[in-house]
Amino acid sequence: MNIWDKLAKPFLILAPMEGVTDIIFRQVVSKAGRPDLFFTEFTNVSSYASEKGRANALERLEIAPTDSPIIAQIWGKNPEHFSATCQALESLGFSGVDLNFGCPDKHVNKAGGGAAMIKTPELAVECFKNAKKSTNLPVSIKTRLGWSNVEEYKTWLSTLLNEHPAALTVHLRTKKEMSKVPAHFELIPEIIKLRDELSPETKLIINGDIKDKTHALELHKNYPEIDGFMIGRGVFANPYCFTNCEPTKEELMKLLYLHLDLFEKQSKKQHLSYEPLKHFFKIYVNNFPGAKELRTKLMRTHSVAEAREILTI
Ligand SMILES: Cc1cc2nc3c(=O)[nH]c(=O)nc-3n(C[C@H](O)[C@H](O)[C@H](O)COP(=O)(O)O)c2cc1C
C-alpha cells in the first residue's frame, strides 16, 4: 500500500509553496496542527542532475522527523533528469514524488517547466513515464486547468489521467489567470467525471481558494468523490488552518518564537538570509490589538537578535 492508499478520505495537504514551505515552516505548521500530508517546495531536476546544483537541491530536499509523510515535488523539462532525481528520492525518506506541471512563474515557464508543460503534453507524458520507471515511489501530478482557456482542462487533464498518476492535484485556474480570479469550483463535477471515466484509481485533490479544514469539509459534503483538499495561502491567514482552532495571541507568538529558533538552528547548516524570514511575521503578528505596530517594528529589524530584543520589550 502506498501513501495515497493509506490516507483516509478526505485528507488535507499543505500546498507546496516556494520560499514558504521549507523545512522550518513545515515544523511550525506541525506544531500548530499538521496536515495529513506535506509537500516540499519544488526542486529543479536539472539542478539535482548536475554536479554544481546537487548540493543546493539536496538542501531543499532535507526533511525533519515531523514532516513525514511528505512528498517531494520536482519540476523541469528534461526526461533523463526526471529519472536521475526520482532514483534518489526514495532513499531520502519521501513517501512519493509529485511533478509540477502548473507553476506560472515566467522563469520556470521560459525554461520549459511548470505550466509550460501544458503546451508540450507529449514531453509532459515522457517526463511522467520516466519518473514512474525510475522509482518505486508513487508518482503524482499537480497542475492547472490549462494555459489560457478554462476549456483546455478537458484535453489536458484527460492526457494526464490516461497515464494513471497515483494522484492528481488540480489548481482550479489556468496559468493565465494566475491567482487573480476566483477558483473555478463550478468545474468540480466535470473533473470528477473525467477522473472516474479515465482513471478511477487516481486520487483527486482539489486546490485553490480553500481557506481551512472547515471549508474543505463543506466542499467534501457537496463532492464526496473528491479524495483530498490542498490548502496554500489559507495557512498565511491561519497557521492553525488544518485544525478547527482560531489561535490566541499567545499561541501565535509561541509559533513566532519557534520559527526564530528553527531559523537559527537551520542557519548553522546552510546559508539563510534574514530578509525573507521577515515575510513570515505577518502570519504570526496578526489579528490582535497592537499587532500592526509590533509588526512595523519587527519589519525594521536586520537580525534574529534584533527581533528577539523587540519581542522582549
Ligand atoms: C508563494 C507561493 C509559492 C508557490 N510555490 C509553489 C511550488 O513550489 N509548487 C507548486 O506546485 N505550487 C506552488 N504555488 C501554488 C500553490 O501550491 C497553490 O496551488 C496556489 O497557491 C493555490 O492554492 P491556494 O488558493 O490555497 O493558495 C505557490 C504559491 C504561492 C502563493
Side-chain angles (χ1 to χ4, degrees), residues 14-21 39-43 60 73 75 98-104 142-144 169-173 178-179 183 207-211 230-236:
L14 176 61
M17 288 188 280
E18 167 64 16
V20 179
T21 58
F39 273 44
T40 63
E41 308 161 274
F42 61 2
T43 294
R60 298 172 68 85
Q73 195 192 53
W75 72 277
D98 187 76
L99 312 190
N100 178 311
F101 291 166
C103 176
K142 177 170 180 282
T143 190
R144 289 183 174 241
T169 303
V170 185
H171 177 182
L172 296 168
R173 294 185 179 94
M178 302 295 281
S179 284
N207 169 240
D209 292 347
I210 301 169
K211 289 199 292 283
M230 181 181 269
I231 300 176
R233 292 162 302 161
V235 80
F236 301 158

Side-chain angles (χ1 to χ4, degrees), residues 215-286:
H215 188 189
L217 294 181
E218 264 168 37
L219 283 169
H220 194 247
K221 248 191 231 159
N222 294 335
Y223 307 109
E225 303 88 345
I226 297 174
D227 296 284
F229 296 89
M230 181 181 269
I231 300 176
R233 292 162 302 161
V235 80
F236 301 158
N238 180 6
Y240 283 73
C241 64
F242 295 105
T243 70
N244 281 324
C245 302
E246 281 296 329
T248 61
K249 174 186 172 186
E250 285 66 36
E251 284 167 329
L252 288 171
M253 294 310 277
K254 269 192 193 159
L255 292 186
L256 170 56
Y257 279 113
L258 175 63
H259 200 131
L260 295 177
D261 289 348
L262 291 168
F263 178 87
E264 283 187 318
K265 196 171 147 204
Q266 195 65 19
S267 299
K268 290 184 185 138
K269 291 199 254 174
Q270 69 184 97
H271 172 73
L272 294 174
S273 305
Y274 181 69
E275 281 305 304
L277 169 66
K278 285 160 54 173
H279 298 311
F280 289 89
F281 292 159
K282 62 178 176 298
I283 300 180
Y284 312 116
V285 187
N286 201 0

Side-chain angles (χ1 to χ4, degrees), residues 152-168:
E152 288 171 47
Y153 84 88
K154 291 177 188 158
T155 46
W156 170 236
L157 298 186
S158 298
T159 300
L160 298 179
L161 285 164
N162 281 329
E163 296 306 313
H164 306 284
L168 178 67

Side-chain angles (χ1 to χ4, degrees), residues 257 260 294 298 301 303-313:
Y257 279 113
L260 295 177
L294 178 56
L298 285 169
T301 58
S303 66
V304 171
E306 275 183 38
R308 283 193 199 286
E309 216 175 289
I310 284 169
L311 290 167
T312 51
I313 291 171

